[in-house]
Amino acid sequence: MTWDELEQLPEQIAEQIELWDGRVVWVRRGPAEHQTFTYRMTAAFERCTRKAMQEQPTTCLRTTLETNVFLGKTGKSDFLTPDFLVHRCLESPYQDLRASDTVLVGEVLSPSNTQSDMEAKKGRYASAGIPWYWEVTLARRESAIATIRAYALESKHGELPDGVHPLRPANYLVAGEWTHDDEQGVQFDFPFRIDIPWTDLQY
């Protein structure tokens, strides 16, 4: 499918589709908790980006949710729609958002999300060169966040045995992990100062 064909579909159908190299992938909407915690994470990151811009006036960042990120430098046949993201300010409104503009993407994982699907998605973000990937795992038996992980894009591959080559050109490594046992909440210094108390993320 092409982007032009996708735009011809009714909006309620088109918004459930991602294109993976022109192949249609249906994105199932999660339960109410998924939407709630996506909103909570987006609001928390927006507060952090605003503070970062106050401290560094030359920096311009925007936080948003459920926005298409086109993975190639051109074309629209390959895109993902992260649950929340931070990107550099664009030159004009309504401009296509590319992976090269994107600083951080995040996904909220409901119990119904499969590990294989999320690993495939994570691999595509990494291959596109997005520096940071955040993963929010929801608790199975209550309306709460179980774990938050921050992944950094590795800048070079580690040493592998002779004849062994990485499956993908880039990969993420876990750089931070938080649960409710961390009473201070989520505190991290990259790609800007992130300070999110658990009270901001409650249902």
Side-chain angles (χ1 to χ4, degrees), residues 156-178:
K156 58 182 180 180
H157 292 297
E159 292 185 12
L160 296 173
D162 290 341
V164 176
H165 304 284
L167 182 62
R168 299 187 179 97
N171 195 21
Y172 289 114
L173 300 175
V174 179
E177 182 176 270
W178 302 269

Side-chain angles (χ1 to χ4, degrees), residues 27-191:
V27 181
R28 185 173 56 181
R29 289 282 177 246
E33 286 80 3
H34 178 273
Q35 313 307 327
T36 296
F37 290 113
T38 293
Y39 174 78
R40 295 279 190 275
M41 290 297 297
T42 304
F45 268 96
E46 184 171 27
R47 179 179 54 77
C48 294
T49 55
R50 288 182 182 276
K51 187 172 182 180
M53 289 190 293
Q54 290 174 354
E55 295 172 352
Q56 297 180 335
T58 58
T59 300
C60 187
L61 299 170
R62 292 288 180 266
T63 303
T64 186
L65 72 163
E66 297 180 349
T67 301
N68 296 336
V69 177
F70 296 97
L71 304 185
K73 294 181 180 179
T74 60
K76 294 185 175 183
S77 64
D78 196 19
F79 71 87
L80 292 170
T81 310
D83 289 325
F84 59 93
L85 66 146
V86 177
H87 64 87
R88 286 179 282 275
C89 295
L90 304 177
E91 294 180 0
S92 59
Y94 306 107
Q95 188 175 336
D96 292 335
L97 181 61
R98 299 280 169 182
S100 57
D101 305 311
T102 308
V103 175
L104 178 153
V105 293
E107 296 285 351
V108 177
L109 276 57
S110 303
S112 61
N113 286 118
T114 66
Q115 189 66 29
S116 60
D117 285 347
M118 295 314 302
E119 286 299 322
K121 204 168 197 180
K122 187 191 304 183
R124 296 182 70 228
Y125 286 133
S127 296
I130 297 174
W132 293 93
Y133 169 80
W134 282 58
E135 200 169 76
V136 180
T137 304
L138 301 185
R140 287 188 170 274
R141 304 186 186 281
E142 58 181 331
S143 297
I145 290 174
T147 309
I148 297 175
R149 293 184 180 90
Y151 294 80
L153 187 68
E154 60 180 348
S155 57
K156 58 182 180 180
H157 292 297
E159 292 185 12
L160 296 173
D162 290 341
V164 176
H165 304 284
L167 182 62
R168 299 187 179 97
N171 195 21
Y172 289 114
L173 300 175
V174 179
E177 182 176 270
W178 302 269
T179 68
H180 285 274
D181 291 336
D182 300 292
E183 296 180 358
Q184 299 302 313
V186 179
Q187 296 187 343
F188 201 58
D189 288 332
F190 304 96

